[in-house]
Amino acid sequence: MSPDNVDYSLMNGPDRFCEVTPEKIDIEPFTMVIFGGTGDLSKRKLLPTLYHLCQDQNLPDEFSIIGFASSKRSDEEYRELVKKAVLEFSEDTFNGECWERFSKHLFYISGSFEDENAFKRLSQRLEELTRRTEKGLREIIYYMAVAPHFLTSIVERLSFCKLCKGLFNTRLIVEKPFGKDRASAAELNRLIAKAFDENQIYRIDHYLGKETVQNIIFFRFANSIFEPLWNRRYIDHIQITVAESLGIENRARFYEKAGVVRDIVQNHIMQLLALVAMEPPIGFEADYIRNEKVKMYSTIRPLDKEYIDTYTVRGQYGAGSINGKEVVSYRDERDTSSSSNTPTFFAGKFYIDNWRWAGVPFYLRTGKRLKKRISEISIHFKQPPLKMFSSTCEIREPNLLVLGIQPRESISLHLGVKHPGIGNQLYPINMNFHYERDFQGKFHFPLPYERLLLDCMKDDQTLFARQDGIEAMWAVVDPINERWENTPAPEFPNYSAGTWGPEKADEMMQKEGRRWHIW
Ligand code: BG6
């Protein structure tokens, strides 16, 4: 009890937990085939995540994981490779007993993605390893952890060997980028659709597996106080920032062709935009949510050349320093061209021309080698009439709601209150919710791949993109790529690593009478 005899603990939410019964995870025995099972993504993310799921006892007793790649190795050698990956990249402390349990489920097939015989061997292995469920089906997940150009050939061979439907209940997980523009994405969708139905296709975007990203829907639609304000009447503008301090690591071959718009804007940023701007879905089911996203994308105002030149900013990093460490310019990274035109920074203003958002600007920004790794959505409310305070207040800031996605997972509401004292000053304060602090370390925060792999095993497509959604997202960004690729950027590099990007991005906001929330 506090000295004034008020038990504040009763007022503060964090001490009061309601019991949440864990959702029952019911997964049928399955086999997961990882094409590219020895590659970077497999080693860094997929295999450590599967190990973790096994350690947490989230996998059924019967499951198999088959790595499929071109190099020659035995099952035993593959287990060694996976062990190394788990030791190096897993966030869990290594548990020998659990490893013994997990490693028995690992197998390997060596073969080229074009070799039919390798797929016949796969077919045989699948029959040996996967028990039929009560429905008489074998549950199979194919994970495409391969460069996009292998996709069609793998799907064709799976189809030729009759490994897509029939007695196999299969799912296909496809990594981003899905195509390189709308036309290629549509073509890819068409080719995959020859072998798989839409309800078998899981187009993965790891941003949707982040706890705070999923929370956007809960926050918006499970509270009555924000949704009535969530529109053009009360919101001045919205900003979405996905800032990275990392450079392109060793991915120049991919990045030189992709650039920032294909790497981040077309997928991660568009997903965040959809969650913050879409209409309430009629239920928490994959298609209800995905319908609303697609509707939202199709109301984004199309961008023409003049608009792109005025309201978007591209950048490429020069040398600089991040956290006291010198880093090279993009053009000096291994395998990039010394005259590369590839953008590593994007900022732009978008409008959503529907009843809710008409006239409200959405400022989207992302870049590599920026000052800090931070992703957030900030909702800037309109300033109320503050005439009554004009003679007394110096600080008058509009209300601001910040949804922090990373590194700190949080929600903060910035309000104005009276500063204590005999004067009449308005004072800005924050009401904060921090996931880690407020759930007091009581819960395990699943990593994005953990959540997404489990959802796929459970046959839940809610956090995966649908074919029309992918194409609609490309339709939004295609004009930007087209314009930028057809007009070289003589000003590149135009920002130093370790800054918040090109000055033009700040100037764009100044001209609008606004500024970036993070700067
Ligand atoms: C990936 C991009 O999709 O997302 C990378 O290809 C980027 O370039 C990464 O670094 C960022 O993910 P996160 O989860 O670290 O924000």
Side-chain angles (χ1 to χ4, degrees):
M1 284 283 194
S2 66
D4 52 6
N5 277 345
V6 179
D7 185 352
Y8 287 106
S9 69
L10 295 176
M11 296 178 181
N12 295 334
D15 290 340
R16 294 161 50 232
F17 284 102
C18 56
E19 279 303 318
V20 176
T21 321
E23 272 177 53
K24 200 170 166 292
I25 301 180
D26 205 1
I27 299 171
E28 299 274 17
F30 70 92
T31 295
M32 179 181 279
V33 183
I34 308 181
F35 291 99
T38 57
D40 211 44
L41 177 70
S42 299
K43 288 198 277 200
R44 280 175 189 275
K45 301 278 185 200
L46 305 179
L47 295 162
T49 304
L50 288 162
Y51 167 77
H52 176 88
L53 288 174
C54 179
Q55 177 157 318
D56 269 10
Q57 310 210 323
N58 277 327
L59 299 184
D61 294 339
E62 288 179 62
F63 72 92
S64 310
I65 295 165
I66 304 181
F68 188 125
S70 55
S71 46
K72 284 232 165 313
R73 45 170 63 83
S74 62
D75 288 345
E76 230 12 85
E77 285 164 332
Y78 188 55
R79 289 174 189 157
E80 272 312 300
L81 176 140
V82 179
K83 187 174 184 183
K84 265 197 201 149
V86 170
L87 283 167
E88 191 172 352
F89 298 112
S90 174
E91 294 190 1
D92 302 305
T93 27
F94 187 80
N95 174 326
E97 210 177 296
C98 173
W99 169 254
E100 283 308 311
R101 205 159 22 95
F102 180 67
S103 65
K104 290 196 189 105
H105 299 269
L106 296 170
F107 305 91
Y108 185 75
I109 289 187
S110 100
S112 131
F113 301 139
E114 273 131 25
D115 175 10
E116 253 153 50
N117 289 326
F119 285 77
K120 285 184 186 147
R121 288 203 301 280
L122 172 65
S123 170
Q124 209 179 336
R125 219 70 210 276
L126 287 177
E127 293 201 11
E128 288 158 15
L129 293 173
T130 332
R131 181 167 66 81
R132 286 194 192 179
T133 61
E134 276 172 17
K135 289 184 199 145
L137 299 172
R138 292 193 163 90
E139 300 283 325
I140 314 286
I141 298 173
Y142 300 117
Y143 201 117
M144 301 287 163
V146 292
H149 59 271
F150 287 123
L151 220 82
T152 355
S153 123
I154 296 175
V155 169
E156 276 168 9
R157 294 207 172 38
L158 286 174
S159 170
F160 180 80
C161 293
K162 305 206 172 5
L163 296 176
C164 305
K165 291 184 187 167
L167 289 177
F168 291 97
N169 182 30
T170 62
R171 273 142 278 173
L172 178 76
I173 307 185
V174 187
E175 272 290 332
K176 63 167 267 286
F178 194 89
K180 62 181 175 56
D181 53 18
R182 185 183 189 162
S184 58
E187 177 60 8
L188 199 52
N189 278 325
R190 198 183 61 76
L191 288 170
I192 296 179
K194 284 186 181 175
F196 293 92
D197 297 333
E198 183 58 34
N199 65 7
Q200 297 176 279
I201 308 169
Y202 288 70
R203 299 173 191 83
I204 202 165
D205 178 327
H206 79 281
Y207 258 61
L208 292 180
K210 290 183 193 271
E211 199 68 27
T212 22
V213 173
Q214 293 164 46
N215 189 39
I216 298 171
I217 292 195
F218 285 79
F219 180 79
R220 279 190 63 192
F221 302 124
N223 295 296
S224 59
I225 57 173
F226 292 108
E227 196 47 28
L229 310 180
W230 213 264
N231 57 50
R232 67 190 148 86
R233 255 166 286 175
Y234 299 100
I235 292 180
D236 177 72
H237 74 280
I238 292 183
Q239 298 184 18
I240 300 180
T241 293
V242 174
E244 295 189 79
S245 53
L246 280 184
I248 53 161
E249 305 304 289
N250 294 320
R251 299 161 70 223
R253 292 218 181 93
F254 155 74
Y255 203 88
E256 273 283 84
K257 289 203 203 108
V260 66
V261 176
R262 290 190 182 89
D263 190 36
I264 302 275
V265 184
Q266 184 269 340
N267 34 75
H268 304 332
I269 291 211
M270 282 298 135
Q271 290 289 357
L272 295 179
L273 179 62
L275 291 170
V276 89
M278 72 187 193
E279 293 302 313
I282 59 169
F284 206 91
E285 273 168 43
D287 275 338
Y288 293 148
I289 294 179
R290 300 190 301 179
N291 288 346
E292 294 307 329
K293 288 184 177 178
V294 176
K295 270 203 263 172
M296 200 289 297
Y297 297 131
S298 46
T299 50
I300 296 181
R301 190 181 299 173
L303 314 180
D304 63 24
K305 287 181 195 161
E306 288 70 37
Y307 186 95
I308 292 169
D309 293 346
T310 318
Y311 293 110
T312 66
V313 177
R314 59 178 156 174
Q316 187 191 74
Y317 60 84
S321 133
I322 307 241
N323 296 329
K325 193 173 154 246
E326 299 302 309
V327 296
V328 298
S329 71
Y330 177 76
R331 290 177 179 184
D332 286 329
E333 300 273 15
R334 188 151 50 103
D335 295 329
T336 59
S337 148
S338 56
S339 57
S340 174
N341 192 38
T342 301
T344 59
F345 177 94
F346 169 88
K349 173 166 84 157
F350 290 78
Y351 284 105
I352 298 172
D353 286 331
N354 62 14
W355 187 257
R356 186 188 283 265
W357 294 117
V360 178
F362 286 75
Y363 299 99
L364 314 182
R365 178 175 63 151
T366 180
K368 292 225 175 263
R369 286 285 187 233
L370 298 182
K371 199 166 191 165
K372 280 190 196 143
R373 175 176 185 254
I374 183 162
S375 296
E376 65 156 50
I377 300 173
S378 54
I379 292 114
H380 301 247
F381 288 89
K382 287 190 174 164
Q383 184 72 285
L386 291 172
K387 182 120 183 46
M388 61 180 283
F389 298 115
S390 61
S391 59
T392 57
C393 299
E394 283 146 26
I395 309 168
R396 277 172 286 153
E397 289 183 356
N399 296 133
L400 172 68
L401 177 69
V402 180
L403 309 178
I405 293 162
Q406 58 192 27
R408 185 121 60 118
E409 305 179 308
S410 60
I411 298 172
S412 324
L413 180 61
H414 300 236
L415 304 165
V417 297
K418 181 186 174 299
H419 190 273
I422 50 175
N424 288 314
Q425 287 290 344
L426 194 60
Y427 192 74
I429 55 115
N430 294 330
M431 285 168 69
N432 292 326
F433 162 71
H434 292 307
Y435 262 80
E436 292 263 36
R437 183 197 66 195
D438 294 343
F439 283 115
Q440 295 172 340
K442 287 199 180 191
F443 299 99
H444 163 63
F445 286 73
L447 293 169
Y449 275 96
E450 207 179 317
R451 167 73 197 233
L452 295 171
L453 287 181
L454 272 181
D455 279 6
C456 175
M457 291 168 195
K458 290 191 295 181
D459 253 338
D460 181 351
Q461 291 186 306
T462 311
L463 300 178
F464 296 83
R466 202 172 58 192
Q467 161 260 330
D468 50 349
I470 289 276
E471 291 174 31
M473 290 189 272
W474 278 117
V476 175
V477 301
D478 273 356
I480 306 171
N481 282 327
E482 223 172 280
R483 179 71 181 151
W484 287 4
E485 277 158 17
N486 292 328
T487 48
E491 72 275 24
F492 278 3
N494 60 348
Y495 70 98
S496 304
T499 65
W500 283 118
E503 277 170 15
K504 269 196 175 167
D506 297 336
E507 285 162 20
M508 180 184 89
M509 287 301 255
Q510 276 156 20
K511 281 190 206 142
E512 305 269 302
R514 302 187 169 104
R515 68 177 166 80
W516 292 108
H517 177 242
I518 312 168
W519 58 288

